[in-house]
């Protein structure tokens, strides 16, 4: 158990090495070198590699690691138990893990967007451009839904004792997307088993979840926010097109940024909204706003709040479905529950 007299901040963070997660860790330490970072990856090697990269830049930093696959419920329950043993409270939980399996670009839709004058909108939101092929995971859940949302939801539920009732507010900060669209989401198919835009559906589900969590837990000192990192060149992004195409497109993308401020491009820029929220008082934030990382054509980073296109009644219905699914799926893992 942690020393009860030590006043530390433990931050949970699901990240991809070299992506927004690593950049966020470094930027948070630049803001406050006293924080205790607890980083999470899918395997021990990635966790340790990430920790070493952070310590190379910040040798005196307090950095610990845990291993978890957010798409595996047993792994989520085990790591929640470990965190409850190691920490007395969590001040910030950055929920950043995500997958986009087998992404495909719809070139026909891009051509149509060019002819109809909607190309810039499509390039900045990926609306109608990106499709994915999803599959069931070992828990019988759609893989994208399980990894991008449900695993995080179960983790938050399991860590309520560390997040609620503290002297200072605790924060959940979800990485959402400008691709989070209501048109890709359905309450009757909230795992998105029947469609081809599972990523967009999971991110819209993230927005809905955050809205309800604020309604349920603000009085207990837990606040939830969602951010969009913009278009960041990360491991996920590089999987969409062959590497040689990205090399050809990069000069064009830098030019597009003069017209599309969400083309943050680098992980450092993409973490702008995450870091900005780290410095805000949650009581004064709007629960219905998504905070977007933006970068000007000349390279200046800033945060732009945009009201989310969410229906609060739909959000409540979806939350109840998550609770029902939680009850159904956790019955088989009673040995991992306290």
């Amino acid at each position: 158990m942690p020393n009860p007299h030590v006043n530390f901040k433990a931050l949970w963070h699901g990240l991809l090495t070299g992506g927004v997660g690593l950049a966020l860790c470094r930027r948070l330490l630049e803001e406050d070198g006293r924080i205790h970072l607890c980083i999470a990856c899918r395997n021990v090697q990635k966790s340790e590699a990430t920790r070493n990269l952070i310590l190379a830049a910040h040798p005196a930093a307090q950095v610990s690691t845990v291993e978890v696959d957010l798409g595996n419920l047993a792994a989520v329950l085990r790591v929640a138990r470990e965190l409850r043993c190691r920490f007395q409270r969590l001040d910030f939980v950055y929920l950043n893990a995500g997958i986009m399996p087998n992404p495909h670009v719809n070139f026909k839709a891009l051509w149509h967007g060019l002819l109809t004058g909607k190309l810039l909108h499509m390039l900045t939101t990926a609306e109608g451009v990106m499709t994915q092929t999803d599959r069931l995971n070992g828990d019988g859940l759609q893989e994208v839904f399980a990894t991008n949302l449900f695993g995080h939801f179960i983790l938050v539920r399991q860590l309520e004792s560390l997040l609620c009732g503290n002297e200072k507010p605790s924060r959940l900060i979800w990485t959402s997307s400008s691709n989070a669209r209501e048109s890709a989401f359905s309450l009757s198919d909230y795992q998105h088993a029947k469609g081809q835009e599972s990523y967009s559906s999971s991110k819209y589900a993230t927005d809905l979840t955050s809205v309800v969590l604020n309604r349920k837990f603000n009085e207990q000192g837990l606040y939830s926010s969602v951010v969009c990192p913009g278009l960041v060149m990360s491991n996920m992004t590089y999987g969409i097109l062959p590497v040689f195409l990205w090399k050809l497109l990069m000069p064009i993308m830098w030019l597009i940024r003069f017209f599309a401020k969400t083309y943050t491009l680098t992980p450092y820029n993409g973490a702008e909204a995450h870091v900005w929220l780290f410095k805000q008082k949650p009581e004064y934030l709007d629960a219905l706003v998504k905070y977007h990382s933006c970068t000007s054509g000349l390279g200046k980073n800033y945060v732009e709040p945009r009201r989310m296109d969410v229906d609060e009644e739909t959000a409540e219905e979806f939350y109840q479905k998550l609770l029902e699914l939680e009850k159904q799926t956790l019955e088989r893992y009673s040995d991992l529950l306290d």
Side-chain angles (χ1 to χ4, degrees):
M1 292 291 290
N3 185 330
H5 303 291
V6 175
N7 182 11
F8 61 83
K9 293 181 178 180
L11 294 96
W12 168 270
H13 186 51
L15 55 86
L16 291 171
T17 300
V20 172
L22 176 58
L24 172 60
C25 289
R26 288 170 166 167
R27 292 193 61 177
L28 289 176
L29 287 170
E30 291 171 3
E31 293 290 332
D32 186 351
R34 299 167 299 174
I35 61 176
H36 182 140
L37 285 172
C38 181
I39 60 174
C41 291
R42 292 188 181 96
N43 60 61
V44 174
Q45 290 76 18
K46 283 189 176 181
S47 294
E48 287 304 315
T50 302
R51 180 175 183 272
N52 291 337
L53 286 171
I54 295 169
L55 291 176
H58 302 275
Q62 300 179 71
V63 184
S64 58
T65 65
V66 287
E67 177 187 1
V68 63
D69 177 356
L70 270 296
N72 182 305
L73 289 180
V76 173
L77 294 173
R78 279 193 289 266
V79 83
R81 175 185 286 178
E82 179 180 348
L83 290 170
R84 290 196 302 268
C85 290
R86 287 168 60 175
F87 301 118
Q88 292 180 317
R89 75 170 191 272
L90 296 171
D91 296 315
F92 288 82
V93 181
Y94 281 93
L95 301 158
N96 185 54
I99 59 170
M100 185 192 292
N102 305 308
H104 301 285
V105 177
N106 188 337
F107 290 101
K108 182 179 179 180
L110 278 175
W111 177 250
H112 183 263
L114 178 62
L115 295 178
T116 57
K118 297 180 180 179
L119 183 61
L120 184 60
H121 171 76
M122 295 173 72
L123 289 175
T124 54
T125 64
E127 183 174 343
V129 176
M130 295 301 306
T131 62
Q132 305 91 44
T133 304
D134 204 358
R135 62 183 181 183
L136 293 177
N137 69 3
D139 292 305
L141 305 172
Q142 292 298 134
E143 187 177 37
V144 174
F145 165 81
T147 303
N148 293 7
L149 174 69
F150 193 59
H152 293 95
F153 175 76
I154 294 297
L155 180 66
V156 170
R157 294 274 294 165
Q158 291 293 310
L159 295 179
E160 282 182 20
S161 61
L162 304 185
L163 294 167
C164 298
N166 298 321
E167 293 181 7
K168 295 189 298 183
S170 291
R171 309 284 302 279
L172 303 175
I173 300 176
W174 304 75
T175 298
S176 181
S177 171
S178 58
N179 190 232
R181 291 181 291 105
E182 183 180 13
S183 60
F185 177 83
S186 169
L187 274 176
S188 61
D189 182 28
Y190 60 85
Q191 291 194 46
H192 205 75
K194 301 174 183 177
Q196 290 187 301
E197 296 185 83
S198 52
Y199 183 81
S200 177
S201 175
S202 70
K203 292 303 181 181
Y204 188 77
T206 294
D207 296 351
L208 294 175
T209 303
S210 179
V211 168
V212 181
L213 287 173
N214 279 305
R215 188 184 306 157
K216 304 288 186 184
F217 291 102
N218 279 180
E219 290 186 0
Q220 299 177 51
L222 176 61
Y223 293 81
S224 181
S225 301
V226 287
V227 303
C228 172
L231 178 63
V232 176
M233 302 310 296
S234 65
N235 293 341
M236 184 184 295
T237 315
Y238 283 124
I240 298 172
L241 293 171
V243 174
F244 78 91
L245 275 180
W246 282 122
K247 290 181 179 179
L248 294 174
L249 289 172
M250 280 308 295
I252 299 174
M253 295 175 70
W254 284 95
L255 289 175
I256 291 177
R257 195 160 73 180
F258 281 93
F259 308 96
K261 51 199 171 185
T262 55
Y263 271 48
T264 50
L265 299 184
T266 71
Y268 182 94
N269 296 345
E272 186 70 20
H274 299 75
V275 177
W276 183 84
L277 282 169
F278 177 73
K279 298 182 284 187
Q280 307 307 309
K281 291 185 179 296
E283 303 92 328
Y284 302 120
L285 297 173
D286 190 336
L288 296 176
V289 161
K290 182 182 298 182
Y291 298 91
H292 292 250
S293 296
C294 298
T295 305
S296 70
L298 297 177
K300 181 180 179 180
N301 293 326
Y302 61 99
V303 175
E304 182 175 278
R306 300 181 191 174
R307 196 162 187 83
M308 292 187 287
D309 181 24
V310 294
D311 177 74
E312 295 188 63
E313 184 175 332
T314 301
E316 182 63 40
E317 288 184 54
F318 175 58
Y319 187 82
Q320 293 305 315
K321 288 182 179 294
L322 287 179
L323 294 179
E324 292 171 11
L325 183 62
E326 176 192 39
K327 182 178 179 181
Q328 295 169 12
T329 54
L330 293 191
E331 287 178 353
R332 73 188 77 163
Y333 296 116
S334 58
D335 58 317
L336 296 175
L337 301 174
D338 293 337

